[in-house]
Amino acid sequence: KNEVEQSPQNLTAQEGEFITINCSYSVGISALHWLQQHPGGGIVSLFMLSSGKKKHGRLIATINIQEKHSSLHITASHPRDSAVYICAAPSNFGNEKLTFGTGTRLTIIP
Amino acid sequence: DAGVTQSPTHLIKTRGQQVTLRCSPISGHKSVSWYQQVLGQGPQFIFQYYEKEERGRGNFPDRFSARQFPNYSSELNVNALLLGDSALYLCASIMVGGSYEQYFGPGTRLTVT
């Protein structure tokens, strides 16, 4: 069993739809990262959160530390949101070592 | 303010050769982590360095080594390259003691033929 699991692996939606990507983890953590990776390979950090909810534009991330579960939501999705979204949890080793999920490939169709 | 930089961006090597990848962290960040991302998979932790000392190592063979310099830049070395070493190598810069948010470089795509 992977320490960090994401679902779904692939998601295709129409422009404007509300998107939810889920992440469950088994490692003990103090915070969880949501990252975005475009086809070119570069990774952008979207959120790091340790409790509750964070919002940035159309992106919302929530986390439940007790249930070891986090969700990333995208409102009013747009084709430019098409990317791979990855959740990553710091290991018990420390905050600097991240264990990554395998990612969710999101495709938004115009 | 420059972000994390990595060089080279692309590299093609043949089996058995050696390669050195470079990373410069964000100014003020003293910690660097290296990750390997094989096509279709999530990144895997290779090394973490803080203040020029190795603080962590992932499950990689001894062919992989790294070091950090006094200016906090870092090099990742891979000896005796195998086809399976073909991957995107990512460097992340971290402000230890701060938010621990990781800032990723653009990566170096290594192809071993």
Side-chain angles (χ1 to χ4, degrees), chain A residues 33 35 37 40-43 45 48 86 93 95-98 100-102, chain B residues 33 35 37 42-43 45 48 55-56 88 90 94 96 99-102 104:
Chain A
H33 299 251
L35 309 161
Q37 187 171 34
I43 290 181
S45 177
M48 190 179 77
I86 306 171
F93 157 77
N95 284 310
E96 297 90 347
K97 177 194 172 185
L98 294 180
F100 291 79
T102 53
Chain B
S33 289
Y35 296 90
Q37 186 178 25
F45 173 77
Q48 193 244 334
R55 284 189 60 171
L88 180 69
L90 295 159
I94 308 146
V96 174
S99 69
Y100 285 95
E101 188 159 1
Q102 300 207 13
F104 287 85

Side-chain angles (χ1 to χ4, degrees), chain A residues 2-13:
Chain A
N2 292 331
E3 293 178 313
V4 180
E5 293 192 332
Q6 287 184 238
S7 64
Q9 287 188 326
N10 294 281
L11 180 56
T12 300

Side-chain angles (χ1 to χ4, degrees), chain A residues 42-110:
Chain A
I43 290 181
V44 175
S45 177
L46 298 175
F47 295 104
M48 190 179 77
L49 67 166
S50 55
S51 65
K53 179 167 71 173
K54 283 191 175 180
K55 185 176 188 291
H56 184 244
R58 295 180 295 106
L59 300 177
I60 304 166
T62 63
I63 190 168
N64 185 318
I65 293 290
Q66 287 74 29
E67 295 185 3
K68 296 194 173 183
H69 180 269
S70 177
S71 293
L72 176 69
H73 306 284
I74 305 175
T75 62
S77 59
H78 190 277
R80 64 175 175 266
D81 297 327
S82 298
V84 176
Y85 292 84
I86 306 171
C87 66
S91 71
N92 290 329
F93 157 77
N95 284 310
E96 297 90 347
K97 177 194 172 185
L98 294 180
T99 299
F100 291 79
T102 53
T104 295
R105 183 173 299 276
L106 174 65
T107 303
I108 303 298
I109 300 171

